[in-house]
Amino acid sequence: HVPQRAYLAIGEVDKKVVSPFEYREVFGNVVYDDDEFASKRGLNGLNGMGLTQDAEHGGSIRYWGFGHTFNMLVPVEEFFDEHPEYFSMIDGKRVSGREGNNKYLTLDLVGTQLCLTNPDVIRIVTERIRKSIQEHPECRIFSISQNDCGNYCTCPECARVDAEEGAHSGSLLRLVNAVANDIAQDYPDVIIDTFAYQYTRKPPKLTRPAPNVCVRICSIECCFSHPLAECDHQYEKPTYSYTGMAGEQEEYDPDHTSFQSDLEGWGKICRRMYVWNYNTDFKHYLNPFPNLHVLQKNIQYFLKNGVTGIFEQGNGEDLSGEFGELRYYIQSKLLWEPDGDVDRWMREFMAAYYGMAAQPIREFIDALRNHVTEKGVHVRIYDAPDRGHMPQQLIDLADAKFDEAEALADDDAVLERVRRSRMQVKYCKLFNMSLDDPQRAAACEAFFQEVRHFGFTRIREWKPLEMSFEEIRKGIFQ
């Protein structure tokens, strides 16, 4: 939004802002499709997904692999038949991860991990990281990170190391350190990245990350409607995104600890620590995600505990039918000024984006915030609309406020933005309709027509749009 003024008077300006974060990435298609916008917002991590931001636009920190790279480095398809010992042992048997029935599995998403104490695995990973460094001189960070599932190796040696370290991160970090120490001899400026994610989130007792290792801790299990520093409500089980995999370990580690203790523990031993944080409902992209009021506290908490880079993952597959654009804007501002005036930024953005319609929409946002904070409603990233954050009285209020907003819209462009943001309310209403309601079939088709009108291609992570439509017709919301 570029304001138009006939006369512009500028007084003395003397302001310098230096971001406390070396790596700043806000993940959402509104942001990463536009280098100009990303540059204006001071983001420098968009290349994690293979996009380009050149020096003219402020440069960037480029990743190779980005995340879940075990199967890129030691592919099941290439090695398992001849060397099953390279992969996880579960209940005394090496597993390939192809035994499950998950239709969404890809080459990068397999249901097994690596045997992290196997010398040949360490050798292969080192060789392939070296090759990747040679092939991608534009990249600074190279990721060695677990696949997106459970199934950590329980062979005698991996189990021994993890028991000695008091955490499954022990065997992972020892492998990562071995590779990093080798790489540092010839590439002292390269950073080797790994995860503290789900079963590896807890820091080890003994091993410390090598100086050229970056640990990215992930908040996937957490509640996001309350500040991460203050709320320890988490999923009752680890939140593996892809189920149906061979022997998946769904029980908690008996030494399970809180996100706060894990973050603070890593902060004490890491020279470089990043955070992978979450900002949408992946099973329900159109579900309201009431975290706008905690964004600042979370970033301040990360900074206080030594975090030097942040990846804020929102809906990266599609347009936002919620308040994604507002959230991306505030996050990008906070990554430069963690103590800035969030309320002013919200007013600034909403006035430009929603025009005269901004006030009633802000009133709904405030009502949603008040509800989850006053009632203690915990919202996680795979929750359905019946979680408790959108009771009927709040849906009714939202309808009334969006009616006001549509009536106040400045022009057709603003009206389209208002109506697209209203899709979150319509999704909740459809979710609440009884399967026996005679009007439900017509309501479904009207909703689907609006989804197509606005150009959505995904309303649930990974799932094709028509598959989501068919499930909603049947009352399946998952």
Side-chain angles (χ1 to χ4, degrees):
H1 177 74
V2 182
Q4 301 298 312
R5 298 288 185 271
Y7 177 73
L8 183 64
I10 301 177
E12 182 177 346
V13 177
D14 183 9
K15 181 179 181 180
K16 180 179 180 179
V17 179
V18 178
S19 173
F21 300 106
E22 65 175 359
Y23 165 70
R24 304 172 300 277
E25 182 159 4
V26 176
F27 185 60
N29 73 340
V30 174
V31 179
Y32 65 63
D33 278 349
D34 192 330
D35 271 356
E36 295 285 349
F37 182 75
S39 177
K40 176 67 176 177
R41 297 271 49 83
L43 302 172
N44 70 347
L46 299 175
N47 302 291
M49 296 300 160
L51 302 174
T52 301
Q53 189 166 336
D54 55 27
E56 182 182 352
H57 292 90
S60 60
I61 292 180
R62 301 202 61 176
Y63 265 89
W64 176 88
F66 198 66
H68 305 307
T69 61
F70 275 7
N71 202 53
M72 296 172 63
L73 294 163
V74 187
V76 168
E77 293 76 11
E78 181 179 350
F79 288 104
F80 186 83
D81 289 346
E82 293 186 14
H83 294 284
E85 71 275 13
Y86 291 177
F87 302 92
S88 291
M89 175 180 286
I90 307 296
D91 296 329
K93 178 183 177 182
R94 300 288 178 174
V95 297
S96 68
R98 295 297 179 184
E99 295 87 345
N101 298 317
N102 192 324
K103 68 185 73 174
Y104 304 113
L105 286 178
T106 69
L107 294 181
D108 297 327
L109 300 172
V110 297
T112 190
Q113 307 289 353
L114 298 179
C115 180
L116 299 170
T117 57
N118 185 299
D120 286 338
V121 170
I122 298 171
R123 173 184 56 79
I124 293 168
V125 171
T126 303
E127 291 171 354
R128 297 198 169 184
I129 289 292
R130 281 185 165 273
K131 181 181 179 182
S132 297
I133 293 171
Q134 294 166 5
E135 293 175 347
H136 298 280
E138 75 282 3
C139 292
R140 181 185 178 192
I141 305 179
F142 294 77
S143 179
I144 303 173
S145 46
Q146 67 211 58
N147 294 325
D148 201 4
C149 63
N151 278 357
Y152 50 83
C153 185
T154 60
C155 76
E157 184 58 15
C158 285
R160 183 194 67 78
V161 170
D162 287 349
E164 184 175 273
E165 295 279 7
H168 298 299
S169 59
S171 53
L172 172 63
L173 190 57
R174 290 189 187 187
L175 176 143
V176 170
N177 277 352
V179 177
N181 290 332
D182 181 278
I183 295 301
Q185 299 175 40
D186 298 310
Y187 304 99
D189 296 328
V190 164
I191 299 165
I192 303 300
D193 165 274
T194 194
F195 280 166
Y197 176 62
Q198 297 190 346
Y199 67 84
T200 60
R201 199 184 72 185
K202 181 181 176 183
K205 293 178 181 178
L206 305 175
T207 304
R208 299 293 179 260
N212 58 332
V213 167
C214 175
V215 175
R216 261 188 298 174
I217 185 169
C218 308
S219 59
I220 191 169
E221 296 90 351
C222 296
C223 161
F224 295 96
S225 54
H226 300 97
L228 289 169
E230 302 170 15
C231 179
D232 189 36
H233 184 90
Q234 302 183 54
Y235 280 103
E236 295 177 359
K237 292 182 179 181
T239 53
Y240 304 129
S241 304
Y242 310 98
T243 57
M245 298 178 180
E248 188 164 281
Q249 301 138 329
E250 291 191 344
E251 73 280 359
Y252 259 145
D253 188 296
D255 295 325
H256 165 69
T257 46
S258 69
F259 177 79
Q260 295 98 321
S261 63
D262 291 344
L263 175 76
E264 293 164 18
W266 283 110
K268 294 173 182 176
I269 64 174
C270 287
R271 177 174 294 188
R272 176 178 275 107
M273 178 170 65
Y274 291 175
V275 164
W276 184 314
N277 198 34
Y278 301 82
N279 294 276
T280 191
D281 186 327
F282 292 92
K283 283 191 176 180
H284 306 274
Y285 282 145
L286 296 179
N287 192 12
F289 199 73
N291 77 330
L292 293 170
H293 57 287
V294 304
L295 298 178
Q296 183 168 45
K297 284 190 175 183
N298 287 347
I299 287 179
Q300 290 172 337
Y301 176 59
F302 297 152
L303 183 61
K304 178 183 177 181
N305 286 281
V307 171
T308 57
I310 296 181
F311 175 72
E312 296 279 9
Q313 183 182 10
N315 176 0
E317 288 192 282
D318 208 354
L319 298 170
S320 174
E322 190 235 357
F323 295 121
E325 296 85 1
L326 171 60
R327 186 177 293 107
Y328 304 146
Y329 181 79
I330 293 172
Q331 287 170 333
S332 67
K333 299 283 280 187
L334 285 168
L335 289 175
W336 280 86
E337 299 182 73
D339 297 323
D341 188 342
V342 171
D343 185 67
R344 178 174 66 83
W345 294 338
M346 285 187 68
R347 294 196 308 270
E348 174 185 76
F349 179 89
M350 295 183 73
Y353 192 74
Y354 295 115
M356 296 297 294
Q359 183 56 35
I361 294 176
R362 177 63 188 269
E363 290 171 6
F364 164 59
I365 290 173
D366 290 347
L368 179 58
R369 174 203 65 205
N370 292 341
H371 174 71
V372 297
T373 55
E374 293 171 6
K375 301 296 184 182
V377 180
H378 302 286
V379 179
R380 294 86 54 94
I381 65 170
Y382 299 116
D383 284 337
D386 61 356
R387 178 67 192 170
H389 60 297
M390 281 293 285
Q392 189 58 49
Q393 66 267 24
L394 199 53
I395 291 175
D396 293 341
L397 173 67
D399 258 340
K401 293 303 176 184
F402 272 102
D403 281 345
E404 291 181 41
E406 289 189 21
L408 291 169
D410 308 57
D411 51 38
D412 288 344
V414 170
L415 182 60
E416 279 289 285
R417 294 174 195 150
V418 171
R419 287 178 172 169
R420 181 156 57 85
S421 296
R422 190 174 189 165
M423 293 298 286
Q424 60 189 304
V425 184
K426 296 186 176 184
Y427 186 76
C428 291
K429 291 173 70 175
L430 189 61
F431 180 91
N432 289 341
M433 287 188 77
S434 169
L435 288 175
D436 298 326
D437 191 323
Q439 299 181 36
R440 188 178 186 279
C444 284
E445 299 311 315
F447 177 79
F448 301 155
Q449 184 176 349
E450 282 200 88
V451 169
R452 296 186 185 100
H453 165 78
F454 289 115
F456 292 102
T457 60
R458 290 281 195 278
I459 58 175
R460 297 168 179 175
E461 188 181 30
W462 300 112
K463 287 193 177 183
L465 199 58
E466 293 301 324
M467 180 181 293
S468 294
F469 288 170
E470 187 58 32
E471 290 182 346
I472 291 172
R473 288 187 183 100
K474 297 176 181 177
I476 302 171
F477 284 83
Q478 62 183 22

